[in-house]
Amino acid sequence: MLSCTAGYGRRLVSSLFVVFFLSRGGWKEVQGSVMKGKYQTRRGFIPAAMFNVKSFGAAADGHTDDSNAFLAAWNKACRFRGKVGILVPRGTYLLGPVRFAGPCRRASSVTFRNKGYLKASTDLSKYKPGGGWIEFAWTEGLTVTGGGTFNGQGAEAWPYNNCSRNINCKLLPTNLKFIAMNRAVVRGITSVNSKFFHIAVVDCMNFRGSDLRISAPEDSPNTDGIHVERSTGVDISKSQIGTGDDCISIGQGNSQVTLTSINCGPGHGISVGSLGKYPNEGDVRGLVVRDCTISRTANGIRIKTWLDSPSSSSASNMTFENITMNDVRNPIMIDQAYCPFSSCSSKVPSRVELSNIRFKDIRGTSLSPVAVTLDCSKALPCRDVYLENVHLELLRSDENKEGLASTSSSCKNVRAKFIGTHIPSPCP
């Protein structure tokens, strides 16, 4: 039960806002007014105001651009004191690119509660190259939740993606981009048909994502589910991801990243990299991938680094454990000669050093006769690579017309250590 206390200020009423009070059952709505002050719960005094985008002019008709209404609600909430938030009620909202920027110095936390269906503008001239459709930046204690959907409407943009042919291609917008956030939580949302990546986590600390639903067609280009770069303390769990590219990609400069209970597929699997493409990339260290299922993907667990890296870097202390592979083409792969283009002229070995990598309790079926590929750099051979209890059977399929009975391993520039039982047989 909540009660206003006389010692905590006056009541301020305005028809522009909708307020929610924190109760034991969650946010409770009081229509048509905002109360400014502190409200008593059994847990103490908690200021709590939620700003409804419809009160700021959002049409929610799926045709009118509601970007200004969303930004007005954010700006009002960002200046409010205490625990605040933005409510997107049920309905269909069209948005152009929007950036919800902080810092929100007076707010102790900000909740973006999307219960609606958000559609991205298909006019590519509105977007900055490499930017996001919806960006959250420089904010402490953000929570994005509500069960709503973010639809990037990528089908009209995918034909303009030429990144598979042009190393200097113009990047299309990411659905949700989190920039320099601390203590952000993203929970219980859906992202579909992004023009490029679905979710990007860049320069963040203590980021938590869970119960995410991410999907795009298997042939959609560069629609990575979640991309993490230059971030520390990232935890992604209990999510379903199926796209046209990596379910999750761990880029350069990351540390202490944990991925658990991810159902991945279709797509390109869970990847570290690609690394070593640009000068002065940061190292990757402290990655754990555990209790995941990867189904009908081009790759399972893959570590990929470019040939002819412009500078040295490293990736170390990585564990992949208790992972099920269902009909995966390349279940375990280290590829230090990565090149996604049709022709790559350079023969200079990768300068990314890989070490302390453990694959443990990996089981399932492989579409490829070579189920384990460890192709390390000639200049910097992989060190301390362990495979423990790997069991990958060959799936009989059109790719196995010869009827090969078992899988095999391929190793270059690495002396891997094999522990326990193994199918395929260890490298000689």
Side-chain angles (χ1 to χ4, degrees):
M1 193 72 183
L2 292 159
S3 62
C4 296
T5 57
Y8 285 93
R10 57 191 175 86
R11 180 178 294 185
L12 182 65
V13 179
S14 167
S15 61
L16 288 176
F17 310 113
V18 174
V19 149
F20 286 62
F21 296 114
L22 273 177
S23 68
R24 293 181 67 185
W27 289 99
K28 182 178 180 182
E29 183 175 359
V30 178
Q31 295 283 354
S33 67
V34 61
M35 300 186 102
K36 186 177 181 181
K38 294 190 176 181
Y39 306 95
Q40 189 173 13
T41 72
R42 293 181 181 180
R43 297 182 181 179
F45 294 100
I46 303 175
M50 187 75 83
F51 298 87
N52 189 327
V53 296
K54 283 191 172 182
S55 298
F56 292 83
D61 59 10
H63 303 289
T64 305
D65 189 338
D66 288 326
S67 301
N68 289 336
F70 276 63
L71 287 170
W74 171 271
N75 291 334
K76 197 73 177 183
C78 191
R79 293 193 295 267
F80 212 77
R81 184 183 297 279
K83 294 179 181 291
V84 299
I86 296 92
L87 172 67
V88 182
R90 289 180 176 84
T92 301
Y93 302 82
L94 177 66
L95 297 179
V98 289
R99 170 175 281 186
F100 301 117
C104 302
R105 301 189 188 280
R106 303 178 70 192
S108 58
S109 66
V110 181
T111 297
F112 187 93
R113 187 174 297 273
N114 175 29
K115 294 179 176 292
Y117 190 90
L118 276 54
K119 293 170 30 178
S121 170
T122 57
D123 184 355
L124 294 180
S125 67
K126 293 184 176 182
Y127 299 92
K128 295 180 180 179
W133 165 36
I134 295 176
E135 295 182 350
F136 293 94
W138 309 297
T139 305
E140 295 261 349
L142 172 76
T143 297
V144 178
T145 188
T149 297
F150 298 83
N151 184 347
Q153 299 203 104
E156 293 187 34
W158 296 330
Y160 297 96
N161 184 327
N162 66 344
C163 293
S164 62
R165 304 183 302 276
N166 179 8
I167 194 170
N168 299 311
C169 62
K170 181 179 178 181
L171 300 183
L172 295 172
T174 292
N175 254 16
L176 289 166
K177 193 169 186 177
F178 297 89
I179 304 166
M181 308 291 287
N182 186 22
R183 297 185 295 109
V185 175
V186 182
R187 180 178 61 246
I189 63 169
T190 297
S191 176
V192 300
N193 295 340
S194 180
K195 296 176 176 66
F196 199 63
F197 296 166
H198 282 263
I199 296 175
V201 179
V202 182
D203 292 321
C204 292
M205 295 182 64
N206 305 313
F207 182 97
R208 301 289 179 268
S210 63
D211 299 309
L212 307 176
R213 299 292 178 267
I214 299 174
S215 65
E218 189 173 2
D219 60 351
S220 57
N222 299 115
T223 52
D224 295 46
I226 301 172
H227 179 74
V228 184
E229 190 156 320
R230 300 192 304 271
S231 296
T232 299
V234 175
D235 190 310
I236 309 294
S237 65
K238 300 177 183 176
S239 296
Q240 176 72 51
I241 305 173
T243 69
D245 211 298
D246 296 329
C247 292
I248 300 178
S249 55
I250 305 301
Q252 56 103 355
N254 292 301
S255 63
Q256 308 309 315
V257 176
T258 301
L259 312 177
T260 56
S261 300
I262 306 297
N263 286 321
C264 167
H268 293 180
I270 296 175
S271 294
V272 178
S274 57
L275 305 177
K277 182 178 181 181
Y278 302 106
N280 306 313
E281 289 188 359
D283 297 338
V284 175
R285 61 186 184 275
L287 169 67
V288 175
V289 181
R290 181 181 291 126
D291 305 335
C292 298
T293 299
I294 302 176
S295 303
R296 295 174 294 281
T297 55
N299 307 289
I301 297 298
R302 177 172 57 158
I303 302 170
K304 50 184 177 177
T305 74
W306 286 77
L307 290 166
D308 196 11
S309 313
S311 59
S312 298
S313 61
S314 68
S316 62
N317 191 19
M318 297 181 286
T319 298
F320 307 93
E321 183 176 0
N322 191 29
I323 297 173
T324 299
M325 307 281 184
N326 295 319
D327 308 348
V328 173
R329 184 164 290 111
N330 301 297
I332 296 176
M333 173 174 279
I334 294 177
D335 180 6
Q336 291 211 260
Y338 176 72
C339 176
F341 307 111
S342 56
S343 63
C344 293
S345 57
S346 177
K347 300 299 180 183
V348 179
S350 175
R351 296 175 64 193
V352 180
E353 184 176 14
L354 302 182
S355 64
N356 195 6
I357 304 167
R358 185 176 295 271
F359 302 95
K360 181 179 179 181
D361 297 333
I362 313 294
R363 60 196 170 274
T365 52
S366 172
L367 286 176
S368 168
V370 182
V372 176
T373 300
L374 308 178
D375 186 1
C376 295
S377 170
K378 185 177 181 179
L380 294 167
C382 298
R383 295 185 294 108
D384 300 326
V385 177
Y386 301 86
L387 292 92
E388 182 176 354
N389 298 332
V390 173
H391 191 124
L392 295 167
E393 299 276 3
L394 185 62
L395 180 73
R396 292 182 177 273
S397 67
D398 290 341
E399 298 187 29
N400 183 20
K401 293 179 180 178
E402 295 84 0
L404 298 175
S406 62
T407 52
S408 62
S409 303
S410 172
C411 302
K412 295 180 182 178
N413 306 310
V414 58
R415 289 188 177 276
K417 299 174 179 65
F418 293 84
I419 303 167
T421 60
H422 284 277
I423 299 175
S425 299
C427 292

